[in-house]
């Protein structure tokens, strides 16, 4: 029995395999008849773009139709309620789509906030004024749908002209739900909504938790211009509210409006021990906004990197997770360092992210410290062995930044089984024990003649990379002198810039400071467009500063982060539109 069952399963597997082969052959025959992949792929792309365009046109038509209904006096209340609901659902679906794309591997969590940007809703923004007008209606259903739609349009600072009408609506409104949506809308408008401070302060004395959370969020988004003593005192009281959302939004608001009193400081300190993780992180962010940078604050912020969304049902909860992580990253970047207890979390994120620049930024956060830390070195050595292209350059740079104290821990990698790891370890050693650069030209009888004798661009580029990696001033000057004949195209440009920056940074570890070589490196970076005229003049004046290389490195990283890059293959294959 067992043998016959095995034979049956084997026959089924063979049949399925044969069917797959037949289908593959038919598919290839079909593609070949259409002209092969070079013909069918552009055709498929054209069809996809036509569908995308048709979908966008249909959405625009729906939005225009809803606006027309809301604008027409002769339309009944039911029709206007349905039109407002349609606009609300369109905005909500877009936010859900953007967050879903942000969660995907194609974009990473940082991309989510970009895709919840107001620019993605400019067509919906045309409905804002008619929805605000609908708030004057005596029909509560219509006011409710209009306020809900406004809260989903992702309004921004350019809608400051709507603030006066929104204030009027708040003053006359009695519905808790409508006031909740209006407070959220004012928060989206941010700083220009400051004139609504009194109305929002009044909302802080309501009882409904959702309304309180929405009003506190509005204070947090508006910022210092929303400050008022009455609001500060009430927000401090709300830190003891039973709702975690109210407590978290209140803590964030106190920091954003600049509540500097001792009472606020004490209340936020107590909130650092709250039972809810989001409240603890919000309290730390509030204290950070108030310029507190002690260990209690940084330790609480470290927890923010591992926050999970409160729910995955509401798009706002997922977006809040992204926003919180981004704010914490910005905070630690401004400090220039992170606590040791955060190193494992950053290491896990650096391994996980698919974005090379994001990976480099995380490594820079790991490495950027004035004190040698074994746990940081261990993390960088781990990343030095990451096989994914790109990250090991950041790891090398980070290890070099830690100084010669890393050499004993680096020693085992010099005999690593993988040649690439050995090469990278040797590069760190070379950069930590380099010869002092000379400003006078150094003759080279091999590389330059070989470069000039190369008959193809590929061979010439290989030699140019070797010249750049040598760090020899003569080689760098030769490449700079020949930059107009396409020598610095492609990877050579980045290698040259990285080498120049590394040379500048090396002086903080060297007892001998060759100022002439520093000037040469700075001027070369000016030639290459990394430093503008003002920056070049400033750095040439302060060339005695041993940290000058770190400052130039930060400028180079910022240029790389802001350089547009093509989408990855996954985005291209899926159509690419978030």
């Amino acid at each position: 029995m067992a043998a016959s069952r095995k034979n049956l399963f084997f026959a089924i597997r063979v049949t399925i395999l044969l069917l797959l082969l037949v289908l593959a052959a038919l598919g290839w025959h079909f593609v070949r008849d259409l002209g092969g992949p070079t013909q069918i792929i552009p055709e498929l792309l054209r069809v996809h773009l036509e569908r995308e365009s048709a979908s966008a046109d249909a959405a625009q038509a729906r939005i225009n139709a809803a606006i027309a209904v809301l604008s027409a006096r002769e339309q009944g209340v039911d029709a206007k309620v349905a039109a407002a609901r349609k606009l609300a659902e369109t905005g909500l679906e877009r936010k859900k789509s953007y967050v879903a794309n942000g969660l995907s591997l194609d974009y990473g969590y940082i991309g989510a906030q970009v895709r919840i940007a107001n620019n993605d809703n400019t067509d919906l923004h045309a409905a804002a004024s008619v929805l605000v007008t609908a708030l004057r209606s005596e029909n509560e259903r219509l006011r409710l749908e209009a306020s809900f739609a406004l809260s989903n349009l992702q309004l921004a600072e350019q809608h400051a002209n709507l603030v006066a009408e929104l204030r009027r609506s708040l003053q006359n409104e009695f519905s808790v739900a409508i006031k909740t949506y209006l407070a959220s809308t004012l928060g989206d408008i941010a700083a220009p909504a400051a004139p609504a401070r009194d109305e929002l302060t009044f909302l802080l004395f309501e009882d409904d938790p959702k309304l309180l959370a929405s009003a506190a969020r509005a204070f947090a988004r508006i910022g210092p211009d929303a400050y008022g003593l009455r609001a500060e005192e009430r927000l401090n009281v709300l830190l003891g509210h039973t709702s975690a959302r109210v407590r978290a939004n209140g803590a964030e608001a106190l920091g954003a409006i600049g509540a500097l009193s001792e009472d606020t400081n004490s209340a936020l300190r107590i909130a650092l021990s709250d039972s809810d993780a989001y409240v603890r992180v919000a309290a730390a962010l509030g204290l950070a906004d108030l310029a507190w940078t002690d260990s209690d604050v940084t330790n609480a912020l470290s927890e923010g990197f591992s926050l999970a969304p409160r729910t995955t049902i509401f798009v706002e909860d997922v977006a809040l997770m992204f926003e919180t992580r981004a704010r914490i990253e910005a905070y630690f970047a401004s400090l220039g360092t992170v606590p040791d207890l955060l190193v494992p979390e950053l290491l896990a994120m650096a391994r996980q992210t698919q974005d090379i620049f994001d990976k480099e930024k995380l490594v820079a956060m790991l490495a950027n410290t004035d004190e040698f830390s074994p746990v940081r070195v261990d993390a960088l050595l781990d990343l030095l062995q990451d096989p994914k292209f790109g990250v090991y350059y950041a790891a090398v740079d980070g290890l070099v930044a830690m100084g010669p104290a890393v050499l004993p821990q680096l020693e085992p990698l010099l005999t690593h089984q993988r040649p690439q790891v050995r090469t990278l370890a040797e590069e760190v050693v070379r950069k930590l024990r380099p010869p002092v650069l000379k400003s006078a030209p150094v003759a080279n009888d091999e590389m330059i003649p070989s470069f000039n004798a190369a008959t193809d661009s590929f061979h010439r580029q290989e030699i140019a990379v070797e010249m750049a990696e040598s760090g020899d001033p003569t080689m760098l000057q030769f490449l700079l002198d020949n930059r107009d004949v396409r020598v610095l195209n492609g990877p050579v440009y980045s290698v040259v810039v990285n080498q120049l920056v590394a040379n500048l940074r090396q002086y903080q570890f060297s007892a001998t400071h060759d100022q002439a070589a520093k000037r040469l490196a700075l001027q070369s970076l000016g030639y290459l467009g990394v430093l503008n005229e003002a920056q070049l003049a400033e750095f040439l004046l302060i060339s005695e500063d041993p940290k000058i290389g770190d400052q130039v490195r930060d400028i180079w990283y910022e240029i790389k982060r802001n350089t547009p890059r093509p989408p990855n293959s996954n985005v291209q294959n899926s159509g690419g539109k978030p």
Side-chain angles (χ1 to χ4, degrees):
M1 179 68 71
S4 61
R5 189 175 300 168
K6 287 182 180 179
N7 292 334
L8 176 61
F9 288 154
F10 178 75
I12 292 174
R13 287 197 294 268
V14 170
T15 302
I16 293 173
L17 179 59
L18 290 173
L19 285 174
L20 290 174
L21 290 173
V22 170
L23 288 173
L26 290 174
W28 173 249
H29 181 72
F30 175 72
V31 170
R32 186 187 61 187
D33 288 346
L34 290 176
T38 57
Q39 295 296 323
I40 195 174
I41 290 175
E43 179 64 16
L44 291 174
L45 180 60
R46 182 188 66 77
V47 172
H48 169 75
L49 292 175
E50 285 182 356
R51 288 177 179 171
E52 288 286 329
S53 178
S55 176
D57 292 342
Q60 185 67 67
R62 288 195 300 271
I63 292 168
N64 291 342
I67 293 173
V69 170
L70 286 166
S71 303
R73 292 186 177 182
E74 65 275 10
Q75 288 287 352
V77 170
D78 289 342
K80 291 191 174 185
V81 167
R85 167 62 65 167
K86 188 172 294 184
L87 291 168
E89 290 174 349
T90 301
L92 185 59
E93 284 303 315
R94 285 188 183 178
K95 287 198 289 186
K96 287 180 179 179
S97 174
Y98 302 149
V99 170
N101 281 331
L103 285 170
S104 73
L105 289 177
D106 290 345
Y107 300 109
Y109 72 84
I110 289 177
Q113 282 303 302
V114 176
R115 289 160 181 79
I116 309 174
N118 298 296
N119 290 337
D120 292 320
N121 289 296
T122 50
D123 53 348
L124 276 172
H125 289 167
S129 58
V130 294
L131 289 168
V132 168
T133 301
L135 294 173
R136 303 174 191 171
S137 172
E138 294 181 358
N139 187 284
E140 184 178 346
R141 278 199 308 139
L142 179 54
R143 297 199 309 275
L144 178 63
E145 293 296 346
S147 62
F148 180 58
L150 284 167
S151 70
N152 283 295
L153 296 191
Q154 290 295 109
L155 299 184
E157 293 187 359
Q158 64 262 35
H159 300 97
N161 61 306
L162 303 178
V163 172
E165 188 69 25
L166 292 170
R167 289 181 65 192
R168 175 184 172 279
S169 296
L170 272 178
Q171 292 165 1
N172 298 321
E173 188 54 63
F174 59 86
S175 166
V176 169
I178 294 173
K179 289 189 286 188
T180 300
Y181 294 135
L182 293 180
S184 176
T185 302
L186 286 166
D188 287 339
I189 296 175
R197 179 187 67 186
D198 292 341
E199 287 78 14
L200 291 170
T201 300
F202 186 77
L203 297 183
L204 293 176
F205 289 84
E206 295 274 4
D207 296 325
D208 186 81
K210 290 183 179 179
L211 178 54
L212 290 173
S214 183
R217 172 192 177 275
F219 274 95
R221 297 301 184 271
I222 294 170
D225 291 338
Y227 178 80
L229 180 59
R230 191 161 177 251
E232 178 185 1
E233 292 173 347
R234 182 57 181 168
L235 287 167
N236 276 326
V237 172
L238 292 179
L239 291 186
H241 198 276
T242 55
S243 167
R245 293 178 187 272
V246 174
R247 300 198 301 275
N249 288 5
E252 184 182 355
L254 285 166
I257 65 177
L260 293 167
S261 70
E262 184 58 39
D263 288 343
T264 293
N265 183 53
S266 299
L268 289 174
R269 294 283 173 184
I270 293 172
L272 289 176
S273 302
D274 194 276
S275 59
D276 184 86
Y278 270 94
V279 177
R280 296 194 294 272
V281 174
L285 284 170
L287 288 165
D289 284 340
L290 298 173
W292 291 97
T293 58
D294 52 83
S295 60
D296 289 341
V297 173
T298 55
N299 290 346
L301 284 178
S302 302
E303 186 179 4
F305 276 111
S306 56
L307 283 179
R310 292 186 187 277
T311 72
T312 55
I313 300 174
F314 301 109
V315 63
E316 289 79 7
D317 285 340
V318 183
L320 176 62
M321 177 190 69
F322 298 142
E323 181 183 349
T324 301
R325 288 180 180 178
R327 288 190 61 194
I328 293 171
E329 283 185 3
Y331 169 76
F332 283 123
S334 68
L335 283 184
T337 187
V338 294
D340 279 358
L341 64 88
L342 188 55
V343 169
E345 188 71 35
L346 290 177
L347 176 60
M349 292 173 64
R351 286 196 189 114
Q352 213 170 23
T353 180
Q354 306 297 309
D355 189 310
I356 293 299
F357 288 130
D358 186 29
K359 198 181 287 273
E360 286 190 353
K361 179 183 66 175
L362 291 166
V363 176
M365 290 173 67
L366 285 170
N368 198 1
T369 178
D370 292 331
E371 298 180 3
F372 174 79
S373 165
V375 65
R376 294 172 194 266
V377 175
D378 286 340
L380 290 171
L381 292 176
D382 185 287
L383 289 171
L384 195 67
Q385 303 170 66
D386 191 320
K388 295 179 181 177
F389 177 78
V391 68
Y392 35 76
Y393 293 128
V396 165
D397 194 50
L399 287 165
V400 172
M402 296 285 283
V406 308
L407 291 173
Q409 289 173 264
L410 187 70
E411 195 72 28
L413 296 189
L414 294 174
T415 56
H416 196 277
Q417 61 181 358
R418 285 174 51 203
Q420 176 182 301
V421 176
R422 293 199 302 271
T423 301
L424 293 169
E426 290 165 359
E427 183 176 354
V428 176
V429 172
R430 179 177 62 81
K431 288 185 174 182
L432 288 174
R433 297 171 178 165
V436 177
L437 293 178
K438 306 295 182 182
S439 57
V442 178
N444 191 301
D445 296 331
E446 296 180 8
M447 284 191 179
I448 293 178
S450 298
F451 178 89
N452 291 330
T455 56
D456 63 272
S457 59
F458 179 77
H459 188 207
R460 178 171 288 189
Q461 180 175 282
E462 281 188 324
I463 299 172
V465 170
E466 290 182 18
M467 296 167 104
E469 290 178 338
S470 72
D472 189 302
T474 301
M475 301 296 101
L476 293 176
Q477 191 62 55
F478 176 83
L479 294 172
L480 292 168
D481 291 342
N482 288 275
R483 63 185 181 277
D484 295 329
V485 291
R486 304 180 67 83
V487 172
L488 286 180
N489 279 10
V492 183
Y493 173 85
S494 292
V495 174
V496 170
V497 173
N498 284 330
Q499 185 62 56
L500 290 168
V501 171
N503 290 345
L504 280 175
R505 297 186 66 218
Q506 187 55 46
Y507 291 110
Q508 64 182 299
F509 308 120
S510 174
T512 304
H513 300 292
D514 191 332
Q515 296 302 325
K518 272 189 180 180
R519 286 194 295 273
L520 173 64
L522 286 170
Q523 289 167 345
S524 299
L525 289 165
Y527 293 153
L528 294 173
V530 175
L531 301 177
N532 59 36
E533 292 184 5
Q535 291 168 331
L536 181 59
E538 177 186 357
F539 285 132
L540 286 172
L541 285 175
I542 60 170
S543 59
E544 294 291 337
D545 182 2
K547 293 285 188 180
I548 193 171
D550 290 339
Q551 299 171 48
V552 175
R553 177 200 59 181
D554 293 341
I555 293 172
W556 171 231
Y557 278 6
E558 186 65 26
I559 290 173
K560 288 200 294 182
R561 279 194 294 268
N562 293 330
T563 301
R565 295 176 294 121
N568 63 32
S569 58
N570 291 333
V571 176
Q572 291 172 328
N573 293 338
S574 62
K577 186 174 180 179

